[in-house]
């Protein structure tokens, strides 16, 4: 019900011309779009917040072109930000992680529409013939139609069989145990063997999933093709984690760089927090590593007052309707967030003043 009311509000405001007014009022703020994977099979049903369909992605970019938005590179945005200005109506397209579908789906569309973009590439699964392990485990369970599964055959401590009477929360607990066990295995080959065994138990063809690379990252050849298509490659850690402790943070970024240094002939200086999770304690490490900008997954636009290590983005995925996308890209949601924030501050200040006089 709340969702329908929100869409009704958007529709009314759009048709009253408020979206266009919002764009005019936020023309000096940058819109940084955030994407992850692009659907090859049924990934949008599996994790709708992580994937987007090919035709929807093209629709989004065509909308930017039709509305005259200025799609620029991340580095161009940084250079204007350094000068204390933001290019009018500018948009930056960013993609996180580096799924194979970036090469197979997003690259041709970006090339067709002649739009630059940035790929924040995490490197542990880069150039490997295997999927992201935790995503693959959950995907196999999601695909399975079996009510009874002899998980005890996996020989993983505390993991028992599933039957129709097994509560859903216990099944989720088993999945977490399998994910944790797999991440602790000594090599990637052992994880592949575990996924293959799990696929057999769940009666899901893991070999086919891996062959089609639904949850795999790009390889070196595909990375070079992305570069040739105008996709700028930047940093996203090695193991998709970023400790606040400096030595751990430094390792993640330096290992990230090292894995890509054989193919990239430039110094990567832009960074994206894994899962958008960050703390102010990270900033000293980023500065010591000469990182220029860092993007989050917090919704919002970027202006000259936004800290360079906390740049907001607009997250787009299969969960987002075209009308919701327009509300974000036209700046309507930004003004709404600002208005709600101001209202909350007024209420808080009024409450504090009342307490002071009590």
């Amino acid at each position: 019900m709340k969702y329908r009311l929100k869409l009704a509000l958007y529709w009314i405001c759009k048709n009253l011309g408020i979206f266009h007014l919002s764009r005019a009022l936020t023309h000096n703020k940058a819109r940084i779009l955030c994407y992850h994977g692009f659907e090859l099979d049924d990934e949008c049903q599996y994790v709708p917040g992580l994937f987007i369909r090919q035709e929807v992605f093209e629709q989004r970019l065509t909308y930017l072109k039709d509305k005259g938005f200025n799609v620029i590179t991340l580095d161009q945005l940084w250079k204007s930000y350094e000068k204390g200005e933001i290019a009018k109506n500018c948009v930056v397209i960013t993609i996180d992680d580096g799924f194979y579908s970036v090469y197979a789906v997003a690259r041709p569309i970006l090339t067709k529409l002649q739009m630059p973009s940035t790929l924040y590439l995490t490197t542990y699964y880069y150039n490997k013939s295997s999927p992201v392990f935790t995503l693959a485990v959950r995907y196999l369970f999601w695909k399975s139609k079996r009510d009874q599964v002899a998980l005890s055959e996996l020989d993983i401590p505390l993991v028992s069989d599933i039957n129709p009477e097994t509560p859903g929360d216990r099944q989720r607990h088993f999945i977490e145990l399998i994910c944790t066990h797999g991440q602790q295995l000594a090599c990637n080959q052992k994880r592949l063997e575990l996924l293959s065994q799990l696929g057999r138990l769940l009666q899901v063809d893991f070999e086919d999933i891996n062959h089609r690379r639904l949850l795999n990252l790009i390889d070196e050849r595909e990375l070079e093709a992305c570069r040739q298509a105008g996709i700028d490659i930047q940093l996203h850690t090695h193991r998709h984690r970023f400790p606040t402790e400096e030595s751990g943070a430094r390792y993640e970024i330096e290992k990230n760089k090292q894995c890509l240094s054989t193919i990239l002939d430039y110094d990567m200086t832009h960074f994206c927090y894994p899962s958008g999770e960050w703390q102010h304690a990270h900033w000293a490490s980023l500065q010591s590593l000469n990182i220029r900008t860092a993007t989050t997954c917090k919704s919002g636009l970027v202006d000259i007052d936004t800290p360079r290590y906390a740049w907001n983005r607009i997250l787009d995925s299969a969960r987002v309707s075209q009308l919701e996308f327009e509300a974000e890209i036209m700046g309507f949601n930004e003004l709404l967030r600002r208005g709600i924030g101001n209202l909350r501050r007024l209420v808080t200040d009024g409450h504090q003043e009342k307490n002071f006089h009590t």
Side-chain angles (χ1 to χ4, degrees):
M1 186 63 179
K2 287 175 65 177
Y3 181 69
R4 290 179 182 176
L5 287 173
K6 182 176 76 169
L7 292 184
L9 171 66
Y10 286 163
W11 186 86
I12 292 168
C13 290
K14 176 181 177 179
N15 283 278
L16 288 175
I18 298 175
F19 277 20
H20 287 287
L21 176 62
S22 300
R23 174 177 175 173
L25 292 172
T26 59
H27 73 276
N28 60 341
K29 296 178 183 289
R31 287 95 163 126
I32 304 179
L33 286 169
C34 171
Y35 294 95
H36 288 84
F38 304 85
E39 189 175 63
L40 297 169
D41 186 4
D42 56 1
E43 301 96 317
C44 283
Q45 299 172 54
Y46 167 50
V47 191
L50 199 63
F51 293 90
I52 192 167
R53 291 189 299 276
Q54 174 178 338
E55 61 271 21
V56 176
F57 179 61
E58 185 165 356
Q59 179 187 17
R60 305 292 207 238
L61 302 194
T62 301
Y63 179 84
L64 298 178
K65 186 178 282 284
D66 291 345
K67 293 298 180 181
F69 280 98
N70 179 22
V71 180
I72 63 175
T73 67
L74 183 62
D75 211 50
Q76 285 174 321
L77 175 58
W78 162 248
K79 287 174 181 175
S80 67
Y81 175 92
E82 264 194 313
K83 296 175 182 176
E85 58 188 30
I86 300 290
K88 184 177 180 181
N89 290 318
C90 70
V91 174
V92 173
I93 300 167
T94 66
I95 306 169
D96 293 6
D97 303 328
F99 286 105
Y100 165 72
S101 57
V102 176
Y103 162 80
V105 177
R107 177 186 57 91
I109 295 172
L110 290 162
T111 300
K112 173 184 173 182
L113 296 174
Q114 297 181 315
M115 290 186 174
S117 62
T118 291
L119 170 60
Y120 294 114
L121 180 59
T122 183
T123 42
Y124 181 79
Y125 287 100
Y126 159 69
N127 219 21
K128 282 187 174 70
S129 299
S130 60
V132 177
F133 179 76
T134 55
L135 276 178
V137 169
R138 293 183 174 91
Y139 184 66
L140 289 172
F141 274 94
W142 179 78
K143 290 281 285 186
S144 179
K145 306 300 181 185
R146 298 201 63 190
D147 290 328
Q148 298 187 359
V149 186
L151 292 179
S152 55
E153 294 183 23
L154 296 174
D155 196 26
I156 295 174
L158 304 179
V159 175
S160 58
D161 298 348
I162 288 178
N163 57 59
E165 286 72 43
T166 304
D169 57 348
R170 188 152 180 77
Q171 290 188 32
R172 288 188 289 272
H173 178 63
F174 292 159
I175 292 172
E176 291 303 323
L177 287 173
I178 294 168
C179 289
T180 300
H181 176 79
Q183 289 175 309
Q184 293 172 346
L185 292 174
C187 66
N188 205 51
Q189 182 58 38
K190 291 187 178 296
R191 279 185 282 275
L192 275 174
E193 292 168 4
L194 176 57
L195 287 170
S196 183
Q197 186 182 4
L198 181 61
R200 286 194 296 272
L201 292 175
L202 295 171
Q203 294 183 351
V204 179
D205 191 347
F206 167 72
E207 277 67 30
D208 178 64
I209 292 167
N210 193 33
H211 175 72
R212 290 191 292 150
R213 302 177 65 193
L214 303 186
L215 302 171
N216 297 39
L217 299 196
I218 58 177
D219 61 25
E220 187 173 303
R221 179 187 65 83
E222 292 150 0
L223 177 62
E224 179 56 31
C226 287
R227 279 196 64 198
Q228 294 297 324
I231 299 176
D232 178 39
I233 313 301
Q234 294 294 337
L235 301 164
H236 197 36
T237 74
H238 180 59
R239 289 296 301 264
H240 206 262
R241 58 193 181 198
F242 195 47
T244 53
E245 178 260 322
E246 186 170 356
S247 64
R250 179 175 289 274
Y251 171 81
E252 284 296 329
I253 289 182
E254 289 182 341
K255 184 67 174 178
N256 199 192
K257 284 185 176 183
Q258 180 187 339
C259 291
L260 298 172
S261 61
T262 57
I263 191 170
L264 300 181
D265 55 2
Y266 58 87
D267 187 26
M268 290 163 284
T269 57
H270 300 287
F271 175 74
C272 174
Y273 298 103
S275 303
E277 297 175 358
W278 65 277
Q279 299 179 38
H280 286 97
H282 287 127
W283 293 8
S285 298
L286 293 174
Q287 189 165 14
S288 70
L289 290 162
N290 298 316
I291 301 299
R292 292 174 175 173
T293 69
T295 53
T296 72
C297 287
K298 182 181 178 182
S299 296
L301 309 187
V302 173
D303 59 30
I304 57 172
D305 295 320
T306 309
R308 65 188 178 115
Y309 293 148
W311 278 6
N312 305 318
R313 291 191 291 176
I314 298 171
L315 276 63
D316 195 12
S317 69
R319 278 185 185 159
V320 181
S321 69
Q322 178 64 22
L323 190 54
E324 290 173 297
F325 175 80
E326 292 177 18
E328 282 286 4
I329 209 72
M330 296 295 276
F332 177 76
N333 279 359
E334 182 76 357
L335 296 180
L336 203 60
R337 282 188 289 265
R338 189 190 303 173
I340 292 171
N342 290 336
L343 182 61
R344 284 175 178 165
R345 279 190 289 274
L346 283 172
V347 171
T348 301
D349 291 346
H351 182 68
Q352 289 174 345
E353 184 176 349
K354 180 181 177 181
N355 289 341
F356 178 77
H357 291 289
T358 300

